[in-house]
């Protein structure tokens, strides 16, 4: 007997964050749909997800809560697992970087790389971005700030271990150049080659001594293994690599695909393959970098914070509607916008109208014209052949498209069959056939073909929509499991005549758009945290920014400050020389300020209160030494001060007589 083909797919392991948002669900739902698709098409699948739990930030947050870090993450990880249950995620394993099985093997990997001279001890001097937990060289900084998040960095010097990325650089360039499928979509491949690999790699700092919440280096326990060696290894440790129990590793490695968001493609296509080369392991067949799901700029508001909580959406519309939207709305490699309106429209048009109506009309007509028993087909016509041909061709097309990870196109292909079946009803007009006894045989064929098409559809959608296929089968009276397999789609006409259909509730009730939009707004929790999370999602650095916001909030809550605290603020008078809206949001303005003989760009949330023209020439007060951040992709180097009241009024602070820009406020 020949062995079944295997398929190993992974999501990134998630940072423990109290509330994962819809963007996080995006990677996982996509991986799940692919895992289900491969199982359906006969593969032996290993689908892995998990959590990335170490690091200085977790250590700090746990300390602030007064609990040990493990206790702190346990609670959050339980929530993440629950979310995946709610989203019907069918992962075969869940790896935590705090699992013993992971820690032991990471130590072995580190030791092996050290023993063979690929890891060495040195002194690290460089710039450290605490929120990103990343070291950067002077050359990598952008305007003196972290190139990833735009925030400030600190100069640090400490003993550290380094991984010789540079040694493997040429091999990796050659590999990427000769393996087009390795980095997908192709644009990301060029970005890696041109921006990172060809300019030359520097050795990577892979240990820290300044915190403890990590996996200790087994031969030097002052050091903990830091970030990427720990995190990336999960794809191997979950398979039992370097243990006595390594059947899974032998069976599934190399991975077929690592699905990752675009911001971590770099780690997966540079550090990870080099680690694997150094370990003498084959590289994963593909790293696919998908885009980000961001919020509709125009609708960013505090009150909408919870709408992007996937749980709220699942509770209201069902898991299938949310999964369908995530996979259908945005082509997988590209960035996409999430909006309530787009979600509701998709539910109404594709699910309620196209799919829901096809089912309810078919079942209702079999019920009415044949007393609920599926008739055997009789008289045929040319139009039948067209529907049947499309039905048997669709599975092959969907498979080809899915192998390119084009979820949205795969669904569009399935919806062509749904559309064709709906058109078939209009063309064959069964309600007219029903009026004429001599057309009964023709009516039987039409209804049979519709029911059989729905059987095809129920199988085709099953990797994407987890609940609807059973509902369709229940209404059609399909109990025989052999009619729900992929192979059963090789032939049109397998559905046995005589099965009893059962009218049921609409699988997707039609929604009133205005009512739903209002309801979703009301459903917003008022929780600040949800809002923080949502904003964080937009800026992408979810957990990082949330943690920083938490810090800021705590700072604000401090009751008293000393004059020395005040002296830390570098407040300056500045003249606005340009002001313009920031794209895709109605909240922010981008201001160019003249501060003495310098200019600064500041992004400010005052668009609601001031028109850009009104601001030009105004003297404002700038907090000049605030850590720079990126807001909506725009660098903001400081903050201008404003007063607000409880009725949502806002007034900018200014000076009451002429004084040069750059003057210090004390
Ligand atoms: N822990 C690292 C990954 C280590 S893998 C060895 C990490 N974790 S994360 O929690 O920040 O992100 C997990 C995944 O969620 C990433 O693929 C990320 O791109 C994805 N998303 C988080 N926010 C997102 C959107 N708003 N939109 C789409 N995906 C995004 O990175």
């Amino acid at each position: 007997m020949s062995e079944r083909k295997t398929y190993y797919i992974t999501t990134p392991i998630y940072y423990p964050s109290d509330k994962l948002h819809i963007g996080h669900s995006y990677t996982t739902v996509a991986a799940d749909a692919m895992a289900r698709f491969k199982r359906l098409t006969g593969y032996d699948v290993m689908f892995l997800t998990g959590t990335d739990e170490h690091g200085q930030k977790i250590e700090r947050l746990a300390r602030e809560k007064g609990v040990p870090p493990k206790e702190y993450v346990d609670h959050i990880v339980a929530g993440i697992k629950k979310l995946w249950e709610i989203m019907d995620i069918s992962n075969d394993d869940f790896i935590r970087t705090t699992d013993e099985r992971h820690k032991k093997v990471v130590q072995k990997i580190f030791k092996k790389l050290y023993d063979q001279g690929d890891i060495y001890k040195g002194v690290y001097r460089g710039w450290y971005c605490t929120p990103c937990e990343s070291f950067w060289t002077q050359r990598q900084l952008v305007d003196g700030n972290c190139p990833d998040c735009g925030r400030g960095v600190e100069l640090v010097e400490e003993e550290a271990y380094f991984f010789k990325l540079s040694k493997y650089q040429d091999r990796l360039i050659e590999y990427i150049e000769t393996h087009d499928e390795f980095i997908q979509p192709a644009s990301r491949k060029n970005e890696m080659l041109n921006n990172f690999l060809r300019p030359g790699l520097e050795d990577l700092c892979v240990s820290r001594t300044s915190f403890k919440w990590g996996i200790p280096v087994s031969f030097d326990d002052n050091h903990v293994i830091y970030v990427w060696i720990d995190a990336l290894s999960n794809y191997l440790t979950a398979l039992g690599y370097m243990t006595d129990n390594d059947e899974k590793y032998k069976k599934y490695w190399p991975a077929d695909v690592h699905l990752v968001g675009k911001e971590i493609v770099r780690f997966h296509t540079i550090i990870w393959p080099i680690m694997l080369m150094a370990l003498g392991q084959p590289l994963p067949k593909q790293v696919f970098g998908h885009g980000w799901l961001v919020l509709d700029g125009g609708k960013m508001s505090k009150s909408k914070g919870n709408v992007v909580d996937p749980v709220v959406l699942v509770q209201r519309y069902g898991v299938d509607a949310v999964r369908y939207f995530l996979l259908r709305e945005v082509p997988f490699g590209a960035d996409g916008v999430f909006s309530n309106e787009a979600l509701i429209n998709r539910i109404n048009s594709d699910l309620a109208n196209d799919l829901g109506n096809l089912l309810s009309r078919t079942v209702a007509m079999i019920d009415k014209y044949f007393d609920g028993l599926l008739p055997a087909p009789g008289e045929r016509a040319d139009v039948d052949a067209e529907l049947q041909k499309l039905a048997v061709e669709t599975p092959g097309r969907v498979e080809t498209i899915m192998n390119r990870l084009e979820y949205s196109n795969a669904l569009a292909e399935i919806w062509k069959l749904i559309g064709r079946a709906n058109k078939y009803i209009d063309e064959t007009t069964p309600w007219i056939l029903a009026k004429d006894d001599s057309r009964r045989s023709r009516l039987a064929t039409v209804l049979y073909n519709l029911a059989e098409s729905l059987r095809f559809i129920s199988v085709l959608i099953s990797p994407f929509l987890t609940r609807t296929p059973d509902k369709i089968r229940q209404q059609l009276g399909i109990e025989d499991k052999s009619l729900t397999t992929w192979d059963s789609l090789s032939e049109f006409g397998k559905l046995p005549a005589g099965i009893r259909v059962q009218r049921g509730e609409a699988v997707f009730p039609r929604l009133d758009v205005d009512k739903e939009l209002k309801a979703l707004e009301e459903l917003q929790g008022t929780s600040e945290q949800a809002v923080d999370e949502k904003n964080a999602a937009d800026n992408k650095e979810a957990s990082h920014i949330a943690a920083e916001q938490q810090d800021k909030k705590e700072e604000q809550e401090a009751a008293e400050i000393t004059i020395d605290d005040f002296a830390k603020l570098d407040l300056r008078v500045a003249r606005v020389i340009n002001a313009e809206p920031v794209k895709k949001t109605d909240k922010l303005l981008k201001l160019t300020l003249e501060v003495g003989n310098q200019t600064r760009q500041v992004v400010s949330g005052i668009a609601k209160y001031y028109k850009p023209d009104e601001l030009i020439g105004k003297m404002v007060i700038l907090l000049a030494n605030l850590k720079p951040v990126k807001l909506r992709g725009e660098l903001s180097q400081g903050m201008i001060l404003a007063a607000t009241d409880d009725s949502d009024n806002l007034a900018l602070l200014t000076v009451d007589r002429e004084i040069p820009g750059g003057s210090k406020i004390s």
Side-chain angles (χ1 to χ4, degrees):
M1 216 177 72
S2 69
E3 296 248 314
R4 273 201 300 159
K5 287 173 290 179
T6 59
Y7 189 82
Y8 180 25
I9 182 167
T10 66
T11 71
I13 46 173
Y14 288 79
Y15 291 126
S17 158
D18 271 350
K19 206 163 198 181
L20 295 193
H21 53 71
I22 194 94
H24 292 116
S25 307
Y26 187 59
T27 320
T28 314
V29 166
D32 181 68
M34 185 56 79
R36 287 173 186 270
F37 184 78
K38 290 290 174 184
R39 287 187 201 113
L40 179 66
T41 51
Y43 287 75
D44 173 341
V45 172
M46 169 73 189
F47 166 23
L48 178 70
T49 188
T51 39
D52 185 0
E53 304 178 19
H54 291 124
Q56 192 168 15
K57 177 127 28 52
I58 297 287
E59 187 178 81
R60 198 189 65 214
L61 291 171
R63 195 182 317 119
E64 284 166 10
K65 282 224 153 135
V67 292
K70 179 66 166 54
E71 200 176 299
Y72 174 80
V73 288
D74 277 351
H75 172 72
I76 297 176
V77 171
I80 293 177
K81 287 185 171 173
K82 183 87 207 134
L83 173 64
W84 297 151
E85 265 172 44
I86 292 171
M87 299 301 292
D88 276 350
I89 302 303
S90 64
N91 52 301
D92 297 290
D93 197 354
F94 188 102
I95 181 112
R96 300 181 55 177
T97 53
T98 50
D99 286 347
E100 278 311 313
R101 58 171 174 163
H102 175 78
K103 294 196 291 192
K104 278 195 196 129
V105 176
V106 168
Q107 285 181 321
K108 283 191 195 170
I109 290 175
F110 198 94
K111 174 101 174 30
K112 176 171 164 54
L113 297 178
Y114 178 76
D115 288 345
Q116 69 191 37
D118 284 329
I119 285 181
Y120 61 92
K121 198 186 226 176
V123 173
Y124 187 83
R125 273 173 222 93
W127 299 93
Y128 186 67
C129 173
T130 309
C132 291
E133 298 187 21
S134 304
F135 283 109
W136 303 102
T137 58
Q138 181 72 39
R139 188 156 59 97
Q140 289 169 319
L141 300 181
V142 174
D143 297 334
N145 295 311
C146 170
D148 263 3
C149 72
R151 282 172 281 203
V153 286
E154 300 167 56
L155 189 62
V156 293
E157 184 168 301
E158 63 178 41
E159 182 187 272
Y161 286 94
F162 289 85
F163 180 37
K164 280 188 188 163
L165 293 183
S166 48
K167 176 172 155 191
Y168 294 91
Q169 168 183 315
D170 292 343
R171 255 175 81 185
L172 181 58
I173 292 178
E174 201 209 314
Y175 186 88
I176 293 176
E177 280 174 341
T178 53
H179 292 78
D180 277 346
E181 70 295 345
F182 178 55
I183 308 180
Q184 284 294 322
S187 55
R188 306 213 194 279
K189 163 182 157 182
N190 299 332
E191 190 188 334
M192 291 307 123
L193 283 171
N194 298 336
N195 298 358
F196 300 106
L197 277 163
R198 292 198 181 111
L201 294 176
E202 287 173 37
D203 292 349
L204 179 76
C205 175
V206 288
S207 79
R208 293 292 312 266
T209 51
S210 52
F211 65 94
K212 287 277 159 245
W213 181 237
I215 303 173
V217 171
S218 57
F219 49 91
D220 188 351
D221 60 13
N222 269 340
H223 289 254
V224 292
I225 298 168
Y226 151 76
V227 185
W228 290 104
I229 290 212
D230 175 0
L232 289 160
S233 300
N234 89 87
Y235 303 129
L236 282 177
T237 60
L239 300 181
Y241 171 67
M242 277 188 169
T243 70
D244 295 339
N245 186 1
D246 64 355
E247 294 83 51
K248 282 193 183 152
Y249 155 73
K250 287 188 185 131
K251 185 168 173 190
Y252 294 112
W253 191 259
D256 289 83
V257 63
H258 295 309
L259 288 192
V260 300
K262 62 180 183 179
E263 82 287 8
I264 52 174
V265 168
R266 178 153 68 102
F267 306 108
H268 283 81
T269 59
I270 296 179
I271 302 176
W272 182 224
I274 290 181
M275 273 175 71
L276 290 164
M277 282 175 176
L279 292 170
Q281 293 303 313
L283 305 195
K285 293 177 202 157
Q286 185 164 92
V287 174
F288 192 101
H290 66 72
W292 292 340
L293 201 62
V294 294
L295 289 176
D296 184 348
K299 296 209 172 85
M300 269 261 267
S301 78
K302 235 181 178 191
S303 65
K304 289 202 166 87
N306 251 0
V307 171
V308 287
D309 178 346
V311 178
V312 170
L313 298 178
V314 168
Q315 276 163 354
R316 194 161 180 89
Y317 304 115
V319 65
D320 280 5
V322 179
R323 288 174 61 110
Y324 178 78
F325 178 81
L326 288 175
L327 297 169
R328 176 69 182 94
E329 187 69 9
V330 188
F332 197 51
D335 288 341
V337 175
F338 176 91
S339 79
N340 295 332
E341 222 167 331
L343 170 70
I344 295 163
N345 288 338
R346 276 278 171 207
I347 295 176
N348 274 346
S349 68
D350 301 10
L351 299 176
N353 249 10
D354 298 346
L355 177 58
N357 278 348
L358 176 64
L359 177 68
S360 58
R361 286 163 91 190
T362 304
V363 172
M365 290 190 288
I366 297 172
D367 194 38
K368 188 165 166 200
Y369 305 137
F370 290 90
D371 292 329
L373 294 180
L374 181 70
E379 182 192 331
R380 291 167 201 278
D382 286 351
V383 65
D384 305 344
E386 220 183 281
L387 176 67
Q388 291 167 359
K389 183 166 178 285
L390 187 65
V392 290
E393 281 176 5
T394 302
R397 286 194 200 148
V398 170
E399 188 162 17
T400 308
I401 298 170
M402 280 299 274
N403 285 338
R404 299 196 298 257
L405 289 106
E406 294 177 12
Y407 297 92
S408 180
N409 290 339
L411 284 166
E413 204 60 37
I414 300 170
W415 255 251
K416 278 187 200 158
L417 177 60
I418 296 173
R420 186 67 195 84
N422 274 318
K423 190 166 158 228
Y424 179 79
I425 301 183
D426 299 338
E427 289 165 343
T428 54
T429 57
W431 54 94
I432 295 177
L433 297 174
K435 288 188 183 140
D436 182 349
D437 264 356
S438 70
R439 306 302 318 275
R440 205 147 166 83
S441 163
R442 179 68 195 134
L443 178 62
T445 309
V446 167
L447 296 184
Y448 180 88
N449 285 344
L450 288 170
E452 177 66 342
S453 299
L454 275 160
R455 179 180 75 87
F456 269 66
I457 291 160
S458 78
V459 179
L460 288 163
I461 61 173
S462 62
F464 310 92
L465 279 65
T466 51
R467 309 285 174 103
T468 311
D470 274 346
K471 291 185 187 164
I472 295 177
R473 291 166 191 158
Q474 220 164 17
Q475 295 203 19
L476 287 174
I478 303 176
E479 280 167 7
D480 179 352
K481 291 272 172 270
S482 75
L483 296 173
T484 64
T485 65
W486 188 255
D487 288 347
S488 75
L489 304 187
S490 57
E491 202 183 305
F492 193 95
K494 280 181 178 271
L495 203 56
I499 54 174
R500 177 167 289 285
V501 304
Q502 212 171 21
R503 287 175 89 150
E505 284 181 3
V507 278
F508 292 99
R510 214 187 145 70
L511 304 171
D512 175 327
V513 181
D514 291 339
K515 201 177 116 207
E516 287 309 313
L517 287 176
K518 259 207 206 101
L520 282 177
E521 252 175 67
E522 275 161 25
L523 263 178
Q524 307 308 321
T526 41
S527 120
E528 277 296 323
Q529 183 201 343
V531 175
D532 288 349
E533 287 287 339
K534 176 177 142 315
N535 291 338
D538 288 346
N539 289 316
K540 174 53 203 92
E541 300 271 282
S543 52
H544 295 162
I545 293 177
E548 191 166 281
Q549 283 170 341
Q550 171 88 10
D551 292 348
K552 278 191 200 141
K553 229 165 84 185
E554 279 163 17
E555 275 161 29
Q556 281 161 13
E557 279 163 11
E560 287 175 346
I561 61 165
T562 65
I563 190 72
D564 292 340
D565 292 328
F566 179 71
K568 288 183 193 156
L569 305 181
D570 185 13
L571 292 167
R572 302 279 172 163
V573 177
R575 181 187 303 278
V576 181
I577 54 175
N578 192 33
E580 54 188 84
V582 172
K583 279 188 205 129
K584 292 196 194 153
T585 161
D586 56 4
K587 263 180 136 179
L588 302 177
L589 291 181
K590 184 168 78 180
L591 309 178
T592 310
L593 304 178
E594 195 181 61
V595 193
N597 49 14
Q598 283 181 18
T599 55
R600 288 267 188 127
Q601 173 167 297
V602 169
V603 176
S604 178
I606 55 171
K608 222 166 94 183
Y609 310 94
Y610 289 91
K611 295 205 172 59
D613 286 349
E614 272 176 81
L615 292 167
I616 295 172
K618 236 186 218 319
M619 301 301 278
V620 292
I621 309 302
L622 170 73
L623 176 57
N625 60 342
L626 186 68
K627 274 190 186 175
V629 288
K630 265 197 179 162
L631 295 168
R632 292 266 157 184
E634 296 284 353
L635 186 64
S636 184
Q637 305 160 293
M639 177 173 90
I640 57 168
L641 302 190
T644 52
D645 67 7
D646 288 339
S647 317
D648 201 26
N649 293 309
L650 178 145
L652 282 176
L653 264 62
T654 181
V655 281
D656 79 344
R657 66 175 61 157
E658 194 56 45
I659 190 158
S663 302
K664 190 161 170 55
I665 292 158
S666 52

